[in-house]
Amino acid sequence: MAADTVLRVKNLELFFRTSKGVVRAVDGIDFDLGRNRAVVVVGESGCGKTSMAKAILRLLPKNVDTYKGEIYLNDLETMQLGDEEYRLKMRWVKMSMVPQAAMNSLNPVLKVGDQVAEPAIIHNKMSKEIALQQAKKMFRHVGVPDDFIERYAFELSGGMRQRVAIAMSLVSLPELVVLDEPTSALDVLTQANIFNVLKRIKKDLGMSFILITHDIATSSELADDVAVMYAGQIVETGDAHRFFAAPLHPYSKKLMDSVPRLRARQEPDFITGQPPSLLNPPTGCRFAERCPSRFERCDEDPPTISIEGRTVKCWLHA
């Protein structure tokens, strides 16, 4: 693996057993993440973004039907590690996660400082005193006052709780942080402040981010690269500047057309129809039923085409 690549995912699959059948939540995805870069994963609800994050961090529910593929962090293939070895050496050490709802991840009867310090105590074998000092240091990075270390989660605003959750993911100084909709329940001003915090952390601590979001406009502030998911697959990847200027996949174009523009008279557009069921996804291109550019060959599964450092899974570019 190249020295400037921190994460490589190859043919990752994660399927779930349900009462109605097997859900193909993550269906053979591939992507790379560069060191000290942020990739933004966008797509509609139910397309597999959060399942992909949980597959990478091996945060799996009990109803897993299939979990396979290759995940390399630096040169280490993490899929070869046993569960206990992975828990001790990888999760919250080399990779961590900021969940979608910060309040749900914070224990209401424990002080937030103790919760932020806990990963450093368990995984980095720090004493409680040193771990609390590390927690204070992370609080400063995310813009939380030192004295908040003695407070409880219910005493904090939504924005402060989200900053505490980010501090918890940083306390062990991992190489990769996965952020699942970190600003979804916050007002616009707080969202902007959180993204400014993330940009500063990326610069100061040299970390890499996977940001899962619906908010394409706001996420563009942090993005170095973009990955577009649809129906359990990644249909486009590429440099953020070129993606936002000229997306390649018809689905990506529709997503960009749905974003309101401040300096253009173009009305936001919408995507007709519904995403396919992942219980029984269609053969061929999964976006074909909703695609304005559909033609006969779309009944076949499209290949992933490389175009000047970008990839797109679409017959239009074959």
Side-chain angles (χ1 to χ4, degrees), residues 273-290:
Q274 297 291 330
S277 169
L278 296 182
L279 284 166
N280 187 24
T283 57
C285 175
R286 295 186 178 181
F287 186 60
E289 289 293 331
R290 309 168 73 190

Side-chain angles (χ1 to χ4, degrees), residues 10-207:
K10 300 174 67 176
N11 198 29
L12 182 61
E13 294 183 355
L14 179 60
F15 302 165
F16 300 117
R17 294 186 305 273
T18 71
S19 58
K20 296 182 179 180
V22 175
V23 175
R24 303 170 70 94
V26 180
D27 199 357
I29 65 170
D30 302 85
F31 75 95
D32 292 353
L33 174 59
R35 198 172 305 279
N36 195 25
R37 291 182 71 84
V39 60
V40 173
V41 183
V42 297
E44 293 169 281
S45 295
C47 69
K49 302 186 299 297
T50 297
S51 294
M52 179 197 72
K54 291 183 176 180
I56 291 172
L57 278 93
R58 208 187 290 188
L59 296 169
L60 307 176
K62 294 182 179 180
N63 65 327
V64 171
D65 178 81
T66 302
Y67 175 52
K68 64 182 181 180
E70 298 176 35
I71 302 172
Y72 294 89
L73 186 71
N74 297 316
D75 291 320
L76 177 64
E77 186 176 359
T78 66
M79 296 287 277
Q80 299 300 318
L81 301 177
D83 288 343
E84 185 64 12
E85 185 179 13
Y86 186 92
R87 184 185 71 82
L88 292 173
K89 294 183 178 180
M90 300 301 298
R91 193 184 303 127
W92 293 102
V93 180
K94 300 293 186 181
M95 299 187 285
S96 64
M97 185 173 184
V98 179
Q100 186 167 354
M103 193 61 188
N104 295 342
S105 65
L106 297 174
N107 191 323
V109 299
L110 294 178
K111 295 175 181 179
V112 294
D114 292 335
Q115 296 182 66
V116 172
E118 185 178 18
I121 295 171
I122 293 174
H123 297 288
N124 295 70
K125 309 303 180 184
M126 293 182 182
S127 67
K128 183 174 181 180
E129 182 180 356
I130 296 175
L132 286 171
Q133 291 301 317
Q134 178 77 347
K136 285 184 179 180
K137 183 178 178 181
M138 293 304 112
F139 273 20
R140 295 186 200 110
H141 273 294
V142 300
V144 176
D146 283 3
D147 60 346
F148 276 42
I149 205 165
E150 294 293 325
R151 296 196 182 187
Y152 294 89
F154 60 82
E155 298 181 280
L156 307 183
S157 66
M160 281 297 174
R161 288 198 296 265
Q162 195 65 53
R163 290 173 189 243
V164 167
I166 294 171
M168 191 186 304
S169 73
L170 301 176
V171 72
S172 296
L173 299 178
E175 296 182 62
L176 172 66
V177 180
V178 180
L179 303 115
D180 188 4
E181 295 281 358
T183 61
S184 60
L186 305 177
D187 61 82
V188 176
L189 184 58
T190 306
Q191 287 182 18
N193 289 333
I194 293 293
F195 275 105
N196 286 334
V197 165
L198 294 174
K199 285 191 289 185
R200 187 172 66 251
I201 290 168
K202 179 171 167 287
K203 179 182 178 182
D204 294 346
L205 301 182
M207 293 179 178

Side-chain angles (χ1 to χ4, degrees), residues 263-277:
R263 298 177 178 85
R265 295 184 179 181
Q266 177 184 346
E267 292 290 328
D269 199 1
F270 62 93
I271 308 175
T272 59
Q274 297 291 330
S277 169

Side-chain angles (χ1 to χ4, degrees), residues 192-227:
N193 289 333
I194 293 293
F195 275 105
N196 286 334
V197 165
L198 294 174
K199 285 191 289 185
R200 187 172 66 251
I201 290 168
K202 179 171 167 287
K203 179 182 178 182
D204 294 346
L205 301 182
M207 293 179 178
S208 301
F209 291 136
I210 297 176
L211 172 62
I212 295 168
T213 184
H214 295 97
D215 192 340
I216 298 174
T218 306
S219 66
S220 64
E221 290 290 315
L222 183 68
D224 297 304
D225 303 292
V226 176

